[in-house]
Amino acid sequence: PRRGVAQPFIRPADVKSHRVYLPPLEEQRRIAGILDAADALRRRRREALALLDTLPGAIFAEMFGGRTRLEHREIGKLGRVVTGATPPSKKEDMFGGPIPFVTPGDLEGDGSTVRRLTQAGAQASRTVRGGSTLGCCIGATIGKISQFNESVAFNQQINAVEWGDEIEPAFGTQAMRLIKDKIIGSAKSTTLPILKKSLFEKLLIPVASKGRQREFAGLVESVEARKEPIKSQLYEIETLFASLQSRAFAGEL
């Protein structure tokens, strides 16, 4: 809370006196059954997405694990590494624009961001092109990694890699996930664990031939394509579930 600014609150006495819709027990069971059915649909879609999320790693292990011998190269020699920055929040024209602003909480999520920047905000931050891999290198969430297929800005807790011609972005992202423990283990422990950009750049990742990388990237693209209709269905179910809840507690279901 900011000093001198009144914060919204509600008194316990007001909660106790608030009236709620309370239908007969049999009606409650009917409503609960409808909500349970909708929630089961929602849960199945989430489980399907979670299973598909594991496939790129499994495909990578199948193609490049086991006895496959790959050359290992430094990240910094395979792409341009950029450390993010946060625009000054005191300036009103920094936030609320069209450009995604990635923070550690957005990594390993659904590809969306909580905050967005204006063009001025992006100029005061750091941006990378679509296909770049972003990894958290400071704090409790160090080691979280995601790839973004559009140009994004990002904060100072994140290092991003704009891959060069030798690396397919999908391959580079999965290769970085493979060394997550090394990212965490290489961090210097202070008040918060932190991995400096110079050390991050020296971390080694496996590198396959460009043809095999393209083959892997094509398989990952197929997995992502399968996820899109499920995401759409999940959004519709989430909207339906919220509507059912609202109508149930208003006595309209």
Side-chain angles (χ1 to χ4, degrees), residues 42-241:
R42 182 172 62 170
R43 186 170 59 253
R44 291 191 192 103
R45 296 302 183 279
R46 287 175 176 169
E47 289 170 352
L49 286 175
L51 182 60
L52 286 171
D53 283 340
T54 67
L55 274 182
I59 294 169
F60 192 94
E62 178 67 24
M63 291 182 66
F64 308 112
R67 297 183 179 182
T68 305
R69 294 186 179 275
L70 299 178
E71 178 187 9
H72 285 66
R73 303 268 302 279
E74 292 181 5
I75 291 174
K77 294 182 178 179
L78 297 169
R80 184 174 76 99
V81 178
V82 184
T83 301
T86 299
S89 57
K90 292 182 180 179
K91 294 186 178 181
E92 295 182 358
D93 62 341
M94 297 285 108
F95 292 88
I99 301 167
F101 180 60
V102 182
T103 63
D106 301 315
L107 298 176
E108 298 183 1
D110 60 2
S112 64
T113 61
V114 174
R115 307 170 78 185
R116 302 179 80 86
L117 302 181
T118 61
Q119 290 291 343
Q123 290 175 2
S125 180
R126 301 282 189 278
T127 59
V128 288
R129 64 173 180 262
S132 298
T133 303
L134 279 64
C136 181
C137 289
I138 182 173
T141 54
I142 189 169
K144 290 179 69 175
I145 294 164
S146 286
Q147 180 184 325
F148 288 82
N149 294 322
E150 61 181 322
S151 178
V152 295
F154 49 102
N155 78 356
Q156 64 276 9
Q157 292 174 273
I158 294 172
N159 281 331
V161 185
E162 280 188 338
W163 300 106
D165 294 339
E166 295 180 78
I167 300 295
E168 287 289 324
F171 178 90
T173 298
Q174 196 58 49
M176 275 184 53
R177 287 179 176 147
L178 195 67
I179 64 164
K180 181 174 183 176
D181 289 344
K182 289 184 179 179
I183 292 174
I184 297 171
S186 299
K188 182 178 180 181
S189 295
T190 53
T191 305
L192 288 174
I194 180 170
L195 179 60
K196 293 182 179 180
K197 176 185 173 184
S198 58
L199 295 177
F200 176 80
E201 289 176 318
K202 292 184 181 300
L203 291 175
L204 301 176
I205 63 169
V207 180
S209 69
K210 198 63 184 293
R212 292 285 280 168
Q213 289 186 43
R214 290 195 188 101
E215 183 182 350
F216 172 76
L219 292 171
V220 171
E221 187 176 348
S222 296
V223 172
E224 291 300 318
R226 289 177 179 272
K227 288 168 65 174
E228 289 308 313
I230 299 176
K231 286 181 179 180
S232 179
Q233 292 167 10
L234 179 59
Y235 175 79
E236 292 175 1
I237 294 169
E238 293 276 13
T239 303
L240 172 64
F241 188 78

